[in-house]
Amino acid sequence: MTALQKLRAALAGFPRLALWIIAGFLFLGLFGPWLVPHDPLKQNLLAAGQGPGLTHLLGTDHLGRDTFSRLIAAANTSLVGITLVLGIALVIGIGLGTLAGYLRGWAEESIMRVTDVGLAMPSLIIALAMIGIFGTGYWNMVIALALAWWPSFCRVSRGVAVGVMNKPHIEALRVMGASPARIFFIHLLPTTTGSVLVYATADAGGLALSIATLSFLGLGIQPPTPEWGQMLVDSLPYLEGDPRQVILPGLALTLVVVAFNFLGESIALNRVPRPLGRRILARRRAEAAAWDTPPAGLVTGEKA
Amino acid sequence: MLGYVISRFRNAIILLVLASMLCFGLVVSAPGNVAVLIAELRTPGATFAQIEEIEEELGLNDPLPLRYWHWLSGVPDGDFGISYKTGEEVGAAMARRLTVTATLLGGAAAFACLLSLALGFLGALRPHGVVDGLTRVGALLGASTPQFFLGAMLIYGFALKLGWFPTFGDDDGLRSYILPWITLGMLPGCVLSRLVRVGLEEEMTRPFALTARAKGLPRNAILFRDAMPNVAPAWLTAFGAQCTAMTVGSVVVEPLFAWPGVGAMFLQGVQFRDFMVVQAGLLIFISFFILLNLAVDIVVMLLDPKLRRQGGR
């Protein structure tokens, strides 16, 4: 119960709707394969292009596959892809970034220069170029995206690591004779990992979009595996006659991206103090006025 | 100030060199033998001797630094090698397509610029009002809608159903430009509008805004004349970043509307694993990003009196 309350308190500052959408996405992504009413891969040309009905809730596509099932299965594809890419990118980014912050000197300089090149260009271009060189395929897509994504994690974790290394407790650990490995793995790495993980949550939306974009371009998830971008491009030739097959996967993808972006925005707002607006100020004043004796430190609350 | 400009130039040149190494390194590390591909292209069923001849001709047996130098020295002349797929010169083909992409990017950037200012000001006129809420939701939706989905919807609505614009192509004058411009410019416009909106509100809470108000200036006058210039540097920096994002978007939007631009060519290169095209496209894109960021940095410094006086950070 306390764990649940803790979770609730931690999530209280975030937009409710975005959290519900993300929760839905995670649920469908995790349990989708057991929830689908029809086999998402089974073609039935006799039932192709049907409208919504009782058997096929959202109709069928041009090959007679159940759209509802395919949309759910696509959430699974997307979630697995995001997790794999984020996992690889986080390991590389946090590892190198923390190392740069720990070692400083020329090692930091060279790591950060490489990171700068990576950050100077959009991730999707790097991923596209790598797919162009090494060929299309599921793992090529995952690795290309991961290699394109790690620089931003590297920069964040390096910043955190430098901050931690400058704190007195690291100095104290050194004096007490802690080994470099102990300082790195026990005192430094967990801190940077924690900070970067929050940052990575907001990145999941962009990643979902990239996977869908690559699949749309025919370079990511290959048919017949259902994926939103790939479903969309699949039905694009039939846009005029059956726009539903284009709109539904597009909407599903947009919903997930909106939710993650919304969450990311509120994470950014929660972390960076911002001048207070007129209304919030007024509410705080009203709150403060309601106290009999203002607690110490909150008297100047207007400027907080 | 000069020191700032010089340090920016130095950074840009280092980035350019590293980026060119990356482009070169990617192709060198590609699996498979390039000479075999070219030999197959010239004479199907090439013999081993012919392949070796081509290897020698391309200088594939030279040490890596020398190969890098040979490749790099050809770049200023637009010599990007020959496409494995079509056999045409990549540099010349890219140059032909550059105007198409420039038309797309220029129009989309203008649209994004107008949209961001319009939405941002509309929201800032009445903070936390109904209009502000609507623009906020609209901007969030616009900033999260995948470009290919937005493009497909625009084609469906305005081209197929209403018939106002052609569904694809770029040979119908302005009419055929509108939909690609909107498709590409929507996302950056919406992202930037948030920045304008938040920046303006922040400026309006500052003491100078209060002073101006106390002196009797109407709120909107302060918004336009005093608050906007303060938002401009941040806006411009973000605009530069969004322009790079738009260049990436051209890879999606050009094929969607069947525009024969650099993005479409790059995509074809990726799809057919045409290394020379991928390499040239990547180098052109990255150089564009780096130079654009350099230009933005310098313009921002010229615009911002604080940076001008300090001579940069």
Side-chain angles (χ1 to χ4, degrees), chain B residues 110-132:
Chain B
F111 175 73
C113 175
L114 287 179
L115 185 74
S116 74
L117 291 180
L119 281 183
F121 269 110
L122 215 58
L125 284 179
R126 281 277 181 110
H128 308 292
V130 180
V131 179
D132 185 28

Side-chain angles (χ1 to χ4, degrees), chain A residues 82 124 145 149 201-213 257 260-261:
Chain A
I82 293 174
L124 201 60
L145 280 175
W149 230 271
T201 320
D203 254 25
L207 210 45
L209 192 55
S210 290
I211 292 177
T213 306
V257 178
F260 274 113
N261 283 356

